């Protein structure tokens, strides 16, 4: 592969890797959440505390989210991690810039003395990729826009702050960890939908018409809805052929 990359001048981002189904080095865990930051903070703190005991640097980790903005969105999680872990070098990677993004946030996350502020979002994302591969970042908060080609062998943990769009997406994203063959932890946080009955859920699955889905989604506020309603929200966006915001 290296010879082909050199011969055709192919960048790392354009290389995809086959995912094998047997990944015994990955330790999976699912935990229920109310949607607040506490479970994210606890998991990251535990991973840093446990793994840093055998290393002089924080172990590389990834936090995935399906949302760009809002209380459970990528930007909010990124900012809270910056506040909770002042020594952690953190990057943010999403398809488009969050609506409240400011370039100073990126410079703060890098934690270096250069003070260089990358004003353009696409340039900032390239810098996040470069620093991540060069071991100059400890953690990246990302949506699915963080492509498979961004390969790093020694990622020690992944955390999904929300349920991803499919089992395949979860396996692929969690599978970024432990590519060096050593043990890694992969956790999924699941927020249940209050008041959602099995009868109602089966009815929607049996006949998922766009208008029916829309009424179901609107029966709960965006910030209070659980992960099942969130999944139907993203499904209905596809029905109306709207642009994906991640």
């Amino acid at each position: 592969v290296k010879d082909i990359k050199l011969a055709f001048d192919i960048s790392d981002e354009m290389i995809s890797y086959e995912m094998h189904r047997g990944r015994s080095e990955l330790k999976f865990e699912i935990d229920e959440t109310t949607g607040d930051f506490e479970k994210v903070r606890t998991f990251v703190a535990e991973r840093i505390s446990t793994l840093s005991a055998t290393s002089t640097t924080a172990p590389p980790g990834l936090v995935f989210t399906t949302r760009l903005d809002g209380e459970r969105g990528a930007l909010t999680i990124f900012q809270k991690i910056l506040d909770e872990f002042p020594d952690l070098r953190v990057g943010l990677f999403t398809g488009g810039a969050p609506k409240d993004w400011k370039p100073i946030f990126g410079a703060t996350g890098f934690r270096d003395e250069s003070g260089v502020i990358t004003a353009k979002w696409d340039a900032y994302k390239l810098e996040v990729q470069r620093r991540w591969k060069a071991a100059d970042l400890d953690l990246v908060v990302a949506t699915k826009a963080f492509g498979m080609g961004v390969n790093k062998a020694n990622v020690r943990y992944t955390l999904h702050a929300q349920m991803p769009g499919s089992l395949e997406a979860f396996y692929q994203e969690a599978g970024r960890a432990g590519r060096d063959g050593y043990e890694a932890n992969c956790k999924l946080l699941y927020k249940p939908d209050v008041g959602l009955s099995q009868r109602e859920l089966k009815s929607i699955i049996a006949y998922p018409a766009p208008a029916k889905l829309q009424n179901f989604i609107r029966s709960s506020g965006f910030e209070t809805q659980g992960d099942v309603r969130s999944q139907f929200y993203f499904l209905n966006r596809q029905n109306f052929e709207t642009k994906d915001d991640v």
Side-chain angles (χ1 to χ4, degrees):
V1 173
K2 290 182 179 179
D3 291 339
I4 295 174
K5 283 174 58 181
L6 289 172
F8 292 95
D9 192 25
I10 302 173
S11 67
D12 287 344
E13 287 72 28
M14 298 303 294
I15 303 295
S16 62
Y17 295 84
E18 181 181 359
M19 293 295 295
H20 299 285
R21 296 299 177 185
R23 298 291 306 277
S24 59
E25 72 277 10
L26 301 182
K27 307 305 177 184
F28 290 96
E29 181 183 0
I30 299 175
D31 195 6
E32 187 174 308
T33 179
T34 59
D36 61 19
F37 180 71
E38 181 58 26
K39 291 288 179 74
V40 176
R41 186 201 66 78
T42 300
F43 178 75
V44 173
E46 288 175 349
R47 292 300 90 213
I48 293 173
S49 175
T50 301
L51 297 170
S52 294
T54 58
S55 175
T56 57
T57 59
L62 292 166
V63 175
F64 288 100
T65 172
T66 59
R67 300 182 180 187
L68 195 61
D69 300 299
E71 280 302 308
R72 301 180 72 197
L75 179 59
T76 298
I77 292 174
F78 168 78
Q79 290 176 314
K80 288 184 176 180
I81 288 175
L82 289 186
D83 293 339
E84 290 283 342
F85 303 96
D87 296 327
L88 212 60
R89 300 168 299 174
V90 187
L92 177 66
F93 197 102
T94 60
K99 64 180 181 180
D100 293 326
W101 172 259
K102 292 179 176 60
I104 188 62
F105 298 160
T108 302
F110 291 155
R111 314 286 196 194
D112 57 28
E113 297 179 356
S114 67
V116 175
I117 298 177
T118 307
K120 294 185 178 180
W121 176 249
D122 287 342
Y124 168 73
K125 290 197 299 180
L126 288 175
E127 182 64 10
V128 168
Q129 288 181 320
R130 186 193 70 78
R131 288 179 180 245
W132 176 245
K133 291 187 288 187
D136 291 329
L137 284 179
D138 304 309
L139 186 149
V140 174
V141 178
T143 62
K144 65 182 181 182
F146 198 59
M148 287 294 292
V150 188
N151 189 41
K152 186 177 176 69
N154 65 333
V155 176
R156 295 274 64 88
Y157 64 93
T158 63
L159 173 67
H160 280 79
Q162 298 103 34
M163 188 168 66
S166 67
L167 183 61
E168 180 183 7
F170 172 64
Y171 189 79
Q172 287 180 343
E173 291 166 355
R176 311 287 177 85
R179 288 182 174 179
D180 55 4
Y182 292 99
E183 183 175 306
N185 296 84
C186 306
K187 189 166 190 172
L188 168 65
L189 297 178
Y190 169 73
K191 182 181 179 182
D193 281 82
V194 178
L196 176 60
S197 68
Q198 288 291 322
R199 179 179 180 181
E200 185 179 16
L201 184 59
K202 288 179 180 179
S203 172
I204 293 168
I205 293 174
Y207 183 60
K212 186 177 182 181
L213 283 173
Q214 191 76 348
N215 290 334
F216 170 68
I217 294 163
R218 288 177 174 175
S219 65
S220 177
F222 186 73
E223 291 296 347
T224 59
Q225 65 187 214
D227 283 336
V228 172
R229 279 189 171 86
S230 293
Q231 292 301 308
F232 282 120
Y233 167 78
F234 287 113
L235 173 64
N236 219 31
R237 285 172 63 88
Q238 296 175 15
N239 288 335
F240 289 108
E241 299 182 345
T242 54
K243 185 178 179 181
D244 196 336
D245 64 353
V246 296

